[in-house]
Amino acid sequence: MKKILAIHTGGTISMSQNEKGEVVPNSENPIAQQETIMEGRVELITDELFNLPSPHVTPVEMLKIKERINRGEREGIDGVVITHGTDTLEETAYFLDLTLPSTVPVVVTGAMRSSNEVGSDGLYNFQTAIEVAADDASRGKGVMVVMNDEIHTARYVTKTHTTNVATFRTPTFGPIGLVAKGHPIFFQQLIRENICDIDHVVDHVYLLKAYAGMDASLFGALDNDQTAGIVIEGLGAGNLPPVTLPAIQRLLDRHIPLVLVSRCYNGVAEDIYDYQGGGIELRKMGLMLCQGLNGQKARIKLLVGLSAGLQDEQLAEYLSTAVS
Ligand code: ASP
């Protein structure tokens, strides 16, 4: 029988609604009590690593999850399921994807409706995630996000709706599979990225979003010795208002790595435009284009690369390989 490590970290999947209709954390995680859910089909090893709403999760907690999985692998587990709040689930999933040298299936799941709400999706998603983690077809696929009968890659999945159970979507590329009758069916696969098996995380890596009329103020606020790196969600294919350029140049002069992605929901950042603030000028100035990742994922990748000690060309090379 397959041994599946279930790591619980909190989120709506572990919460319930009180008499006023507010969704609140529980002292006892209801999902962690469901140890018999796959009785006779898998051996479930439960670890309630922490119990946090996912807006409270930081890269420090992400590293703790990674280390717990490393330990589980040394102990001979066959797969991992992580339950997590959905707000930052995509960031934790991608962090694990970039840092785990695992070949055992690692699946992250959560819920949009808490444990005692009508139509609660938590237990169903948990069961489906275990089924995917326990299936041989799921090996070597990188970290996956399984929700609502779909299998998405950690690299490209994103939360797209505040409340709908079909919130997790993969813009541009689509899911890699679906779950039917308790089994995963895969129809595409990503080429794995380089793994950075880090043991610490750097701080002061920021994410800024460009907007019509953006000025230099936010860039100026980050012009200090602490700033380790910045991801900018540029306009369209990756363009910025010209008034931001002198402040950006000052950040580059400090050797702060600047990464450019697109704020668009679909498509990839590209250096297409040769006007002031266009992608061609930004690339020439030294901004690194990161193609295919949204801002929050590119920030995680920059943070992981910096934590691994990558610099200059190595860092640029690492950040440029999201689409392969
Ligand atoms: N706010 C919740 C969280 O991320 C949302 C959820 O879990 O669905 O913790």
Side-chain angles (χ1 to χ4, degrees):
M1 211 190 303
K2 292 271 178 72
K3 265 197 227 174
I4 302 296
L5 171 63
I7 303 175
H8 299 289
T9 70
T12 296
I13 193 166
S14 63
M15 298 183 194
S16 44
Q17 233 176 21
N18 65 18
E19 50 301 333
K20 288 189 272 178
E22 300 158 341
V23 178
V24 289
N26 287 301
S27 51
E28 290 212 343
N29 184 338
I31 212 79
Q33 314 304 317
Q34 302 288 344
E35 277 167 346
T36 54
I37 184 176
M38 296 282 286
E39 209 162 54
R41 295 171 63 193
V42 302
E43 183 189 337
L44 209 56
I45 303 157
T46 300
D47 189 330
E48 297 185 54
L49 196 58
F50 47 84
N51 188 4
L52 293 174
S54 74
H56 299 197
V57 171
T58 73
V60 173
E61 281 78 32
M62 297 177 194
L63 190 63
K64 279 189 191 145
I65 301 173
K66 173 201 178 295
E67 285 165 353
R68 180 64 187 92
I69 296 171
N70 289 148
R71 183 150 63 84
E73 284 205 80
R74 288 194 295 274
E75 290 161 4
I77 49 146
D78 300 300
V80 184
V81 170
I82 300 139
T83 67
H84 196 288
T86 60
D87 291 352
T88 63
L89 187 151
E90 63 189 90
E91 282 150 278
T92 296
Y94 191 45
F95 178 94
L96 297 174
D97 192 53
L98 290 170
T99 59
L100 278 172
S102 322
T103 50
V104 302
V106 177
V107 177
V108 191
T109 193
M112 296 304 290
R113 300 185 187 130
S114 67
S115 60
N116 60 349
E117 286 177 60
V118 174
S120 170
D121 51 334
L123 193 53
Y124 184 80
N125 285 338
F126 184 47
Q127 175 176 296
T128 314
I130 297 170
E131 287 163 345
V132 173
D135 201 294
D136 287 336
S138 305
R139 290 182 73 85
K141 297 273 192 297
V143 175
M144 293 163 279
V145 173
V146 172
M147 297 264 300
N148 203 37
D149 281 337
E150 287 185 348
I151 308 170
H152 296 262
T153 62
R155 196 185 305 171
Y156 295 128
V157 72
T158 192
K159 184 174 180 177
T160 65
H161 197 288
T162 50
T163 52
N164 194 306
V165 293
T167 185
F168 281 96
R169 294 267 164 249
T170 299
T172 307
F173 308 110
I176 56 164
L178 48 88
V179 189
K181 292 191 192 295
H183 291 286
I185 302 169
F186 291 100
F187 41 81
Q188 56 176 333
Q189 181 163 8
L190 285 182
I191 297 165
R192 294 297 310 271
E193 292 185 270
N194 289 340
I195 300 300
C196 290
D197 192 0
I198 52 174
D199 58 7
H200 71 284
V201 282
V202 300
D203 208 348
H204 306 293
V205 180
Y206 299 101
L207 171 60
L208 295 182
K209 185 175 192 138
Y211 50 88
M214 185 184 208
D215 65 17
S217 318
L218 294 173
F219 296 103
L222 296 178
D223 190 357
N224 61 62
D225 289 342
Q226 275 199 323
T227 302
I230 306 170
V231 173
I232 307 165
E233 281 188 20
L235 305 167
N239 310 301
L240 289 172
V243 71
T244 61
L245 299 181
I248 288 177
Q249 187 58 55
R250 282 193 290 278
L251 294 169
L252 291 165
D253 292 343
R254 268 188 190 272
H255 298 292
I256 295 172
L258 295 190
V259 178
L260 184 66
V261 297
S262 170
R263 71 171 193 174
C264 292
Y265 176 71
N266 268 302
V268 297
E270 290 179 275
D271 51 345
I272 297 175
Y273 289 98
D274 197 5
Y275 53 70
Q276 216 195 349
I280 291 176
E281 182 179 13
L282 297 175
R283 192 197 272 287
K284 279 189 196 147
M285 284 172 74
L287 274 79
M288 295 176 272
L289 263 74
C290 179
Q291 297 187 304
L293 295 185
N294 65 24
Q296 57 270 29
K297 299 276 177 77
R299 178 186 168 271
I300 291 290
K301 192 165 194 190
L302 176 60
L303 185 146
V304 167
L306 291 170
S307 303
L310 301 182
Q311 287 177 340
D312 305 323
E313 282 85 44
Q314 275 182 318
L315 185 64
E317 166 75 19
Y318 177 64
L319 286 159
S320 70
T321 53
V323 178
S324 47

